Each structure stands twice: as structure tokens, then as C-alpha cells.
């Protein structure tokens, strides 16, 4: 999902970089492409609307219009907004300071990416933090969810 989203966003920014000056119409076009890319990546509509509104407010100002490289300026604004949307600098790390084993429960709707996210978190904990990890699937209805 992130690879497809980053590929589409790169295409939007490459198109902006080729232009000499950036107008409000260019920003609107880029935000439309960003909105479509995020919706294709199954991001919730309210999150997409909020994200696009924040980026548009930042991008329409003099910060982008007077920039030497407009595509890079918009890419930085989108990057900063993505960091803010995902928790920003104030994100709290996963606290595993407890007596082992430390249980972590993933709950969500079917198809929302719990199994994939759990696997990625487990891999990160095992490789980067040298933790011993055990994954257990409680979904008895879908064989593909069994790890």
C-alpha cells in the first residue's frame, strides 16, 4: 500500500518539479491527485479531506509560490503533513517495559490490515530491538489469517 501511494505521490511531485512557477491551479491539481492516490490506498475519507485541507492551506501561501523549486516545496509540505497525521514528533513509542511476555492485542474490522501490521511490528521488534516475538492468530474462520 505504501509503495503504491509513494509511487503515485512521486509522479505528482515530478510533474510539479518540471514547472517554473507554481500557481494555485497547480496546487489544486496536485491536491486532487494526492486525494485520489490516498483514496486508492484505502485511507479513510475524513482523514483524506482533513489532510488535503491542511496541505492546501500550507501550500497556497508565499512559501510555495516564491520558492525556487515548487515541486520540492510541495513535497516537503506533504511530507510534513504525513508525519503530523501519523503522530508527528510527539508520537509515543511502544512501551514494552513489563514482565515478559507482554501481550499486544490487535482489534479491527475484517480486511483493515491487522495481520499485516502485526507481522510488520513483530519483524521490527525482532530485527531492530532484538526482542523475542510470538504471533498467534485467533481468527479461526479464515485460513489465510492463520500465521
Amino acid at each position: 500500500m505504501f509503495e503504491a501511494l509513494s509511487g503515485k505521490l512521486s509522479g505528482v511531485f515530478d510533474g510539479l518539479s518540471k514547472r517554473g512557477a507554481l500557481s494555485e491551479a497547480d496546487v489544486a491539481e496536485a491536491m486532487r491527485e494526492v486525494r485520489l492516490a490516498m483514496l486508492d490506498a484505502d485511507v479513510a475519507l475524513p482523514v483524506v479531506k482533513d489532510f488535503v485541507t491542511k496541505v492546501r492551506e500550507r501550500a497556497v501561501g508565499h512559501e510555495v509560490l516564491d520558492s525556487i523549486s515548487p515541486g520540492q516545496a510541495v513535497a516537503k509540505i506533504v511530507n510534513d503533513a504525513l508525519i503530523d497525521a501519523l503522530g508527528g514528533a510527539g508520537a509515543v513509542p511502544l512501551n514494552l517495559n513489563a514482565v515478559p511476555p507482554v501481550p499486544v492485542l490487535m482489534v479491527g474490522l475484517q480486511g483493515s490490515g491487522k495481520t499485516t501490521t502485526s507481522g510488520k511490528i513483530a519483524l521490527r521488534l525482532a530485527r531492530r530491538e532484538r526482542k523475542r516475538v510470538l504471533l498467534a492468530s485467533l481468527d479461526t474462520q479464515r485460513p489465510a489469517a492463520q500465521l
Side-chain angles (χ1 to χ4, degrees), residues 36-51:
L36 290 175
M38 290 179 78
L39 289 174
D40 284 344
D42 290 333
V43 178
L45 184 60
V47 174
V48 172
K49 285 183 179 181
D50 184 46
F51 178 80

PDB file of all heavy atoms in Angstrom, residues 36-51:
ATOM      1  N   LEU A  36      -6.774  11.424  -4.727  1.00  0.00           N
ATOM      2  CA  LEU A  36      -7.081  10.177  -5.429  1.00  0.00           C
ATOM      3  C   LEU A  36      -6.109   9.062  -5.040  1.00  0.00           C
ATOM      4  O   LEU A  36      -6.518   7.912  -4.854  1.00  0.00           O
ATOM      5  CB  LEU A  36      -7.055  10.405  -6.944  1.00  0.00           C
ATOM      6  CG  LEU A  36      -8.192  11.256  -7.514  1.00  0.00           C
ATOM      7  CD1 LEU A  36      -7.978  11.512  -9.001  1.00  0.00           C
ATOM      8  CD2 LEU A  36      -9.534  10.590  -7.278  1.00  0.00           C
ATOM      9  N   ALA A  37      -4.824   9.409  -4.905  1.00  0.00           N
ATOM     10  CA  ALA A  37      -3.828   8.395  -4.520  1.00  0.00           C
ATOM     11  C   ALA A  37      -4.112   7.866  -3.122  1.00  0.00           C
ATOM     12  O   ALA A  37      -4.018   6.657  -2.870  1.00  0.00           O
ATOM     13  CB  ALA A  37      -2.430   8.998  -4.585  1.00  0.00           C
ATOM     14  N   MET A  38      -4.490   8.739  -2.204  1.00  0.00           N
ATOM     15  CA  MET A  38      -4.781   8.300  -0.835  1.00  0.00           C
ATOM     16  C   MET A  38      -6.051   7.458  -0.791  1.00  0.00           C
ATOM     17  O   MET A  38      -6.117   6.465  -0.060  1.00  0.00           O
ATOM     18  CB  MET A  38      -4.893   9.507   0.092  1.00  0.00           C
ATOM     19  CG  MET A  38      -3.556  10.198   0.319  1.00  0.00           C
ATOM     20  SD  MET A  38      -3.679  11.638   1.380  1.00  0.00           S
ATOM     21  CE  MET A  38      -3.793  10.834   2.979  1.00  0.00           C
ATOM     22  N   LEU A  39      -7.055   7.830  -1.558  1.00  0.00           N
ATOM     23  CA  LEU A  39      -8.292   7.042  -1.593  1.00  0.00           C
ATOM     24  C   LEU A  39      -8.044   5.678  -2.218  1.00  0.00           C
ATOM     25  O   LEU A  39      -8.626   4.677  -1.784  1.00  0.00           O
ATOM     26  CB  LEU A  39      -9.391   7.800  -2.336  1.00  0.00           C
ATOM     27  CG  LEU A  39      -9.949   9.020  -1.606  1.00  0.00           C
ATOM     28  CD1 LEU A  39     -10.917   9.781  -2.499  1.00  0.00           C
ATOM     29  CD2 LEU A  39     -10.619   8.625  -0.299  1.00  0.00           C
ATOM     30  N   ASP A  40      -7.178   5.613  -3.232  1.00  0.00           N
ATOM     31  CA  ASP A  40      -6.812   4.324  -3.830  1.00  0.00           C
ATOM     32  C   ASP A  40      -6.077   3.434  -2.835  1.00  0.00           C
ATOM     33  O   ASP A  40      -6.136   2.212  -2.927  1.00  0.00           O
ATOM     34  CB  ASP A  40      -5.939   4.523  -5.073  1.00  0.00           C
ATOM     35  CG  ASP A  40      -6.736   4.975  -6.286  1.00  0.00           C
ATOM     36  OD1 ASP A  40      -7.979   4.840  -6.253  1.00  0.00           O
ATOM     37  OD2 ASP A  40      -6.120   5.451  -7.252  1.00  0.00           O
ATOM     38  N   ALA A  41      -5.377   4.064  -1.881  1.00  0.00           N
ATOM     39  CA  ALA A  41      -4.636   3.314  -0.864  1.00  0.00           C
ATOM     40  C   ALA A  41      -5.522   2.988   0.343  1.00  0.00           C
ATOM     41  O   ALA A  41      -5.015   2.600   1.384  1.00  0.00           O
ATOM     42  CB  ALA A  41      -3.417   4.101  -0.420  1.00  0.00           C
ATOM     43  N   ASP A  42      -6.823   3.147   0.209  1.00  0.00           N
ATOM     44  CA  ASP A  42      -7.806   2.824   1.250  1.00  0.00           C
ATOM     45  C   ASP A  42      -7.657   3.656   2.517  1.00  0.00           C
ATOM     46  O   ASP A  42      -7.902   3.171   3.620  1.00  0.00           O
ATOM     47  CB  ASP A  42      -7.763   1.331   1.614  1.00  0.00           C
ATOM     48  CG  ASP A  42      -8.297   0.466   0.497  1.00  0.00           C
ATOM     49  OD1 ASP A  42      -9.128   0.962  -0.279  1.00  0.00           O
ATOM     50  OD2 ASP A  42      -7.890  -0.704   0.403  1.00  0.00           O
ATOM     51  N   VAL A  43      -7.279   4.918   2.363  1.00  0.00           N
ATOM     52  CA  VAL A  43      -7.259   5.831   3.504  1.00  0.00           C
ATOM     53  C   VAL A  43      -8.689   6.337   3.685  1.00  0.00           C
ATOM     54  O   VAL A  43      -9.396   6.609   2.711  1.00  0.00           O
ATOM     55  CB  VAL A  43      -6.281   6.996   3.253  1.00  0.00           C
ATOM     56  CG1 VAL A  43      -6.290   7.984   4.402  1.00  0.00           C
ATOM     57  CG2 VAL A  43      -4.878   6.462   3.019  1.00  0.00           C
ATOM     58  N   ALA A  44      -9.128   6.470   4.937  1.00  0.00           N
ATOM     59  CA  ALA A  44     -10.498   6.890   5.232  1.00  0.00           C
ATOM     60  C   ALA A  44     -10.765   8.287   4.675  1.00  0.00           C
ATOM     61  O   ALA A  44      -9.898   9.168   4.716  1.00  0.00           O
ATOM     62  CB  ALA A  44     -10.737   6.867   6.737  1.00  0.00           C
ATOM     63  N   LEU A  45     -11.971   8.494   4.161  1.00  0.00           N
ATOM     64  CA  LEU A  45     -12.346   9.763   3.525  1.00  0.00           C
ATOM     65  C   LEU A  45     -12.182  10.964   4.450  1.00  0.00           C
ATOM     66  O   LEU A  45     -11.630  11.987   4.029  1.00  0.00           O
ATOM     67  CB  LEU A  45     -13.777   9.676   2.977  1.00  0.00           C
ATOM     68  CG  LEU A  45     -14.266  10.902   2.213  1.00  0.00           C
ATOM     69  CD1 LEU A  45     -13.382  11.162   1.001  1.00  0.00           C
ATOM     70  CD2 LEU A  45     -15.709  10.719   1.779  1.00  0.00           C
ATOM     71  N   PRO A  46     -12.626  10.913   5.731  1.00  0.00           N
ATOM     72  CA  PRO A  46     -12.425  12.079   6.596  1.00  0.00           C
ATOM     73  C   PRO A  46     -10.942  12.418   6.803  1.00  0.00           C
ATOM     74  O   PRO A  46     -10.570  13.585   6.871  1.00  0.00           O
ATOM     75  CB  PRO A  46     -13.073  11.680   7.930  1.00  0.00           C
ATOM     76  CG  PRO A  46     -14.014  10.587   7.594  1.00  0.00           C
ATOM     77  CD  PRO A  46     -13.443   9.893   6.403  1.00  0.00           C
ATOM     78  N   VAL A  47     -10.101  11.399   6.856  1.00  0.00           N
ATOM     79  CA  VAL A  47      -8.657  11.619   7.010  1.00  0.00           C
ATOM     80  C   VAL A  47      -8.107  12.282   5.758  1.00  0.00           C
ATOM     81  O   VAL A  47      -7.300  13.216   5.836  1.00  0.00           O
ATOM     82  CB  VAL A  47      -7.932  10.284   7.294  1.00  0.00           C
ATOM     83  CG1 VAL A  47      -6.432  10.463   7.310  1.00  0.00           C
ATOM     84  CG2 VAL A  47      -8.414   9.686   8.597  1.00  0.00           C
ATOM     85  N   VAL A  48      -8.545  11.825   4.598  1.00  0.00           N
ATOM     86  CA  VAL A  48      -8.077  12.394   3.333  1.00  0.00           C
ATOM     87  C   VAL A  48      -8.500  13.856   3.219  1.00  0.00           C
ATOM     88  O   VAL A  48      -7.695  14.720   2.865  1.00  0.00           O
ATOM     89  CB  VAL A  48      -8.612  11.584   2.127  1.00  0.00           C
ATOM     90  CG1 VAL A  48      -8.297  12.276   0.815  1.00  0.00           C
ATOM     91  CG2 VAL A  48      -8.042  10.179   2.142  1.00  0.00           C
ATOM     92  N   LYS A  49      -9.768  14.150   3.548  1.00  0.00           N
ATOM     93  CA  LYS A  49     -10.254  15.530   3.458  1.00  0.00           C
ATOM     94  C   LYS A  49      -9.467  16.448   4.378  1.00  0.00           C
ATOM     95  O   LYS A  49      -9.058  17.543   3.987  1.00  0.00           O
ATOM     96  CB  LYS A  49     -11.740  15.589   3.804  1.00  0.00           C
ATOM     97  CG  LYS A  49     -12.636  15.069   2.713  1.00  0.00           C
ATOM     98  CD  LYS A  49     -14.090  15.220   3.102  1.00  0.00           C
ATOM     99  CE  LYS A  49     -15.014  14.731   2.014  1.00  0.00           C
ATOM    100  NZ  LYS A  49     -16.428  14.884   2.372  1.00  0.00           N
ATOM    101  N   ASP A  50      -9.247  16.009   5.615  1.00  0.00           N
ATOM    102  CA  ASP A  50      -8.500  16.807   6.581  1.00  0.00           C
ATOM    103  C   ASP A  50      -7.070  17.016   6.109  1.00  0.00           C
ATOM    104  O   ASP A  50      -6.530  18.127   6.174  1.00  0.00           O
ATOM    105  CB  ASP A  50      -8.532  16.119   7.948  1.00  0.00           C
ATOM    106  CG  ASP A  50      -7.867  16.946   9.016  1.00  0.00           C
ATOM    107  OD1 ASP A  50      -8.149  18.160   9.085  1.00  0.00           O
ATOM    108  OD2 ASP A  50      -7.062  16.380   9.787  1.00  0.00           O
ATOM    109  N   PHE A  51      -6.446  15.962   5.614  1.00  0.00           N
ATOM    110  CA  PHE A  51      -5.066  16.031   5.135  1.00  0.00           C
ATOM    111  C   PHE A  51      -4.934  17.001   3.972  1.00  0.00           C
ATOM    112  O   PHE A  51      -4.053  17.868   3.961  1.00  0.00           O
ATOM    113  CB  PHE A  51      -4.600  14.634   4.727  1.00  0.00           C
ATOM    114  CG  PHE A  51      -3.205  14.600   4.179  1.00  0.00           C
ATOM    115  CD1 PHE A  51      -2.123  14.604   5.029  1.00  0.00           C
ATOM    116  CD2 PHE A  51      -2.984  14.575   2.813  1.00  0.00           C
ATOM    117  CE1 PHE A  51      -0.833  14.581   4.533  1.00  0.00           C
ATOM    118  CE2 PHE A  51      -1.701  14.551   2.309  1.00  0.00           C
ATOM    119  CZ  PHE A  51      -0.619  14.555   3.163  1.00  0.00           C
TER     120      PHE A  51
END
